[in-house]
Amino acid sequence: MLDGLRFRHPGVARVLLTDPDFHDLRELRLAAAALLDADGHSALRVARHLIAADIVAEPWTVAVLRESAREAAGHNDWDFALKCLRLALRGALTDEERGLVVSEFLRVGWRQNPARVTKHFQECFELQQKGHVPDAETLTLLTIFLWHGHVEDAVTMLLDVADRCADGPLRTEIQTFLDWARLSHPGLLDRIRRADEQLLNRLLETSSDSLRPLTSLSLALCETGHANVPATAQEVLADRRLTGDTAGSVLQSLLYAGELVTAERWAARAVQDAEQLATPLARGVHQAVCAEIARRRGDLPAAQQLAERALTHMAPRAWGVALGLPLSVLVAVHTARGHTERAGEHLSWSVHPEMYQTLYGLHYLQARGRHHLAVGQYAAALRDFRSCEERVRAWGLAPPVLAPWRLGQAEAALALGDRSEARRLTESELNQARGRHSHVRAAHLRVYARLVDRSRRREVLTDAAELVAGGRDRYEHFLILTDLSRAHQEADDTARARVTGQQTWHSAVRCGAERLARTLLPESAVTAGEETPVMPRQRLNTAMLSEAELRVAELAAAGETNREISGKLFITVSTVEQHLTRVYRKLRLSGRADLRACLATKAGVGAGVPEHCAPGA
């Protein structure tokens, strides 16, 4: 049975370990752990025996388990790190030791499954208030408390640390946290200010010779500073000390400033860094942000797919206040695609009340307001858009596309018959610096066209369509073309109305809004669009194409230019041209027109999820 110190067959070990008379296995494991520890072996190797023994009876075992947890987390083995800390919590700990272990358990457990750590919040808070959690550790826990909406506890803990460290070595860490909070949880600063305004002002002070990058970014997102966001974000993201949490805030800031191309580029870089997306939390948040990028580009199918995939990484309760991000994308996308019932189902989900004090709450209110507009609940829509306005003004954040509440208010006012208010809102937006942003200006011009004389309507809508042409926002382009087609009809220009209607239908296909288009467009436009000769995709021998060639072909068939394909797939324009040349040769096509006829379908092409937004799929 034995060959030296080994069994001749692994089955012998299994039989031996399952013998009911073998009672000493746990004690032997503990003895093995003690022997290995005494001989100086690694904490990970010792801890594996302690985990198998399921015993933490001696003081030295806690230290080994904590060290092993840190080492396992460093290798992204979060499950084993949690096993070590969970076992350590069962030991006979002093209050000081328990404060260290509980805080470490919260930090590791939150990244692996945020829902499982909430039961330790009260104990952690009490230990911190008694001075048993180090100040540096407390600052890392604040994000976790805020994630789950424990704002009052977070404020109390922060003020406790800041009161001691406002002028000490942790001052920079406190300032960095406040800069992050100003971007992600702007409502938090008001609560801190009410509790101790002088302390907050002192903490927010920044010396002119070393302006903190995150401070610059948060200030750039004020009323007039959004033009500086791209350059500032580059500086922040280039910081080697950047954490995943901060990177997420910067990525969202680029969204709010309308810098979608830059945001996509940095999203791609995050996927290449395996450590940044090593946990379900990181993957879920990343895909939720990518979903919002796709939504703002007007790629509704991709946005829906990404948001749904983001929610598969964690249960809704685990998302905490951040649930507002993927949830708002789904509400907005289903509403835009004409699936108002499905949007209503997502609005029935329970959300944390503290979500409304974060930027996620702005996303949610905006999406809910759009849904109210779509189903004819105009007064409710107006309330949601006004709630957005109140929060944006209170927080002092108003970049061009943070939350287009003024656009929603104008549409709601127009639906309620208040044309003068709608005109005031649209003209106010168009006359301000914000109105120069192409996406925002195009949307407001679309609404403004309904308020001007019929003789000017087509001119205004044509200007709006040009602002979002070329894929800047496919969905807004579809809405503008819809109104332009109607304007041509009102002017009895049937030829232009028919051509524009067909263009509108194809635009609806590109953005995934076919169902809505069928209700808004005349039947002739939809029928003409659907009757375009299409070769069934399954008849194409796409197996002849490489994966890269097929991606390029789909985007080209969707109407993307070579430069747009280059930017979306992060390859050179020359590479795009080479791929297309090979595609035409392999499929025996003469050019883009044939390619579009072969690949275009009612489901829309190019609607797949970009690779850089789909880690861990």
Side-chain angles (χ1 to χ4, degrees):
M1 295 181 69
L2 295 177
D3 180 11
L5 295 177
R6 298 180 181 275
F7 292 115
R8 291 185 181 275
H9 191 281
V12 178
R14 289 195 295 270
V15 172
L16 179 63
L17 294 175
T18 56
D19 187 341
D21 294 328
F22 190 19
H23 299 300
D24 300 329
L25 179 59
R26 295 176 63 194
E27 287 73 13
L28 287 173
R29 285 281 202 172
L30 180 61
L35 183 61
L36 290 170
D37 183 61
D39 284 348
H41 287 271
S42 70
L44 272 176
R45 187 174 183 185
V46 177
R48 295 191 189 283
H49 285 282
L50 292 174
I51 296 294
D54 197 32
I55 297 174
V56 57
E58 301 180 37
W60 65 270
T61 58
V62 173
V64 168
L65 289 169
R66 287 184 59 210
E67 183 180 351
S68 179
R70 287 193 294 271
E71 190 173 342
H75 293 101
N76 293 322
D77 190 352
W78 302 95
D79 285 331
F80 188 74
L82 279 175
K83 288 179 181 178
C84 291
L85 294 171
R86 194 175 287 115
L87 181 60
L89 283 172
R90 289 165 44 192
L93 306 173
T94 65
D95 285 346
E96 185 176 357
E97 289 173 329
R98 192 159 190 86
L100 291 172
V101 176
V102 168
S103 58
E104 290 171 359
F105 180 84
L106 285 178
R107 188 158 34 81
V108 173
W110 176 64
R111 294 191 176 279
Q112 184 66 3
N113 187 343
R116 293 183 180 175
V117 300
T118 54
K119 63 181 180 181
H120 293 283
F121 276 5
Q122 185 60 34
E123 179 185 16
C124 182
F125 176 74
E126 293 173 356
L127 287 167
Q128 191 277 333
Q129 291 295 287
K130 295 177 181 177
H132 300 308
V133 177
D135 290 337
E137 192 72 25
T138 298
L139 292 175
T140 66
L141 296 176
L142 294 176
T143 300
I144 304 173
F145 274 73
L146 291 175
W147 176 276
H148 285 289
H150 290 247
V151 180
E152 296 304 328
D153 288 349
V155 170
T156 302
M157 293 163 66
L158 175 61
L159 290 175
D160 178 59
V161 173
D163 193 46
R164 290 191 297 274
C165 307
D167 299 309
L170 288 179
R171 174 187 171 92
T172 301
E173 282 73 11
I174 297 172
Q175 290 175 323
T176 300
F177 169 79
L178 291 174
D179 290 336
W180 169 83
R182 182 154 40 186
L183 290 171
S184 299
H185 295 70
L188 177 70
L189 296 184
D190 288 336
R191 300 195 186 191
I192 299 174
R193 183 172 285 107
R194 289 196 298 268
D196 194 333
E197 183 173 5
Q198 291 184 349
L199 177 61
L200 179 63
N201 292 338
R202 194 160 90 250
L203 289 171
L204 290 176
E205 289 176 359
T206 306
S207 57
S208 57
D209 59 337
S210 60
L211 187 65
R212 298 185 305 277
L214 267 180
T215 303
S216 302
L217 186 58
S218 61
L219 293 175
L221 285 172
C222 67
E223 189 78 19
T224 58
H226 61 270
N228 301 322
V229 169
T232 308
Q234 295 274 2
E235 180 184 357
V236 177
L237 289 165
D239 192 340
R240 293 174 179 267
R241 299 165 298 173
L242 188 65
T243 66
D245 300 328
T246 305
S249 298
V250 174
L251 200 57
Q252 288 175 252
S253 300
L254 289 169
L255 286 179
Y256 303 147
E259 299 294 332
L260 299 185
V261 174
T262 307
E264 285 182 329
R265 187 176 300 120
W266 284 105
R269 287 188 59 172
V271 171
Q272 295 170 6
D273 187 348
E275 291 186 4
Q276 281 200 31
L277 301 179
T279 65
L281 171 70
R283 290 191 293 272
V285 171
H286 178 82
Q287 289 182 341
V289 173
C290 285
E292 179 64 8
I293 293 175
R295 186 194 71 79
R296 289 176 183 249
R297 277 203 174 280
D299 192 347
L300 304 180
Q304 178 181 334
Q305 186 178 350
L306 281 162
E308 289 173 345
R309 188 176 294 173
L311 289 171
T312 64
H313 292 290
M314 297 185 292
R317 188 169 64 88
W319 278 86
V321 298
L323 180 62
L325 183 56
L327 200 56
S328 65
V329 171
L330 288 174
V331 172
V333 165
H334 286 311
T335 300
R337 303 188 74 179
H339 301 285
T340 53
E341 301 86 358
R342 296 183 65 181
E345 291 173 5
H346 287 293
L347 284 173
S348 68
W349 287 27
S350 176
V351 296
H352 199 291
E354 288 293 343
M355 180 195 72
Y356 296 102
Q357 298 304 314
T358 70
L359 294 186
Y360 308 119
L362 283 183
H363 287 278
Y364 186 82
L365 286 170
Q366 183 71 20
R368 193 173 69 183
R370 304 302 309 178
H371 177 261
H372 286 322
L373 276 179
V375 298
Q377 298 173 351
Y378 305 127
L382 195 56
R383 285 195 297 271
D384 279 340
F385 295 131
R386 283 176 176 168
S387 293
C388 286
E389 177 184 10
E390 292 168 1
R391 285 164 172 75
V392 167
R393 291 191 183 282
W395 298 338
L397 297 174
V401 287
L402 175 60
W405 49 266
R406 193 175 274 119
L407 173 68
Q409 282 189 15
E411 291 182 280
L414 190 58
L416 290 169
D418 192 347
R419 295 177 63 85
S420 61
E421 176 65 6
R423 178 181 290 273
R424 183 190 68 80
L425 289 163
T426 52
E427 289 180 345
S428 173
E429 188 71 21
L430 291 171
N431 289 333
Q432 293 188 39
R434 283 191 302 269
R436 299 182 191 134
H437 193 283
S438 61
H439 166 76
V440 176
R441 186 171 183 80
H444 280 275
L445 283 174
R446 172 174 55 83
V447 177
Y448 185 66
R450 304 175 194 173
L451 300 167
V452 300
D453 295 336
R454 290 188 178 185
S455 59
R456 289 189 54 207
R457 190 166 299 165
R458 289 192 291 177
E459 177 187 352
V460 173
L461 288 170
T462 301
D463 290 344
E466 290 177 355
L467 287 172
V468 289
R472 292 184 182 90
D473 185 336
R474 296 177 182 179
Y475 181 68
E476 186 60 44
H477 192 232
F478 155 67
L479 293 178
I480 293 170
L481 288 179
T482 299
D483 285 359
L484 184 57
S485 177
R486 289 174 174 172
H488 288 316
Q489 284 181 320
E490 292 173 355
D492 293 328
D493 192 341
T494 55
R496 288 189 179 181
R498 182 172 60 255
V499 172
T500 306
Q502 292 173 10
Q503 292 175 344
T504 306
W505 170 252
H506 289 300
S507 180
V509 171
R510 287 187 66 195
C511 71
E514 300 95 324
R515 179 174 179 175
L516 182 62
R518 288 189 176 92
T519 65
L520 298 179
L521 292 173
E523 185 177 351
S524 59
V526 176
T527 304
E530 290 183 325
E531 288 178 352
T532 301
V534 173
M535 182 184 300
R537 181 168 179 171
Q538 56 269 26
R539 289 172 54 191
L540 283 172
N541 187 10
T542 53
M544 299 171 61
L545 304 181
S546 68
E547 185 178 349
E549 290 168 350
L550 183 58
R551 285 201 303 271
V552 170
E554 288 179 331
L555 291 172
E560 303 278 359
T561 66
N562 287 0
R563 186 168 298 280
E564 289 171 344
I565 297 172
S566 168
K568 197 162 191 176
L569 298 182
F570 300 97
I571 57 179
T572 64
V573 175
S574 175
T575 302
V576 174
E577 294 170 349
Q578 293 170 23
H579 283 325
L580 284 176
T581 299
R582 287 193 290 269
V583 168
Y584 298 151
R585 185 179 68 250
K586 290 179 179 180
L587 300 182
R588 298 180 180 179
L589 303 175
S590 60
R592 283 182 180 249
D594 289 347
L595 183 65
R596 187 176 299 111
C598 289
L599 293 181
T601 66
K602 287 194 294 181
V605 294
V609 176
E611 274 188 1
H612 65 270
C613 289

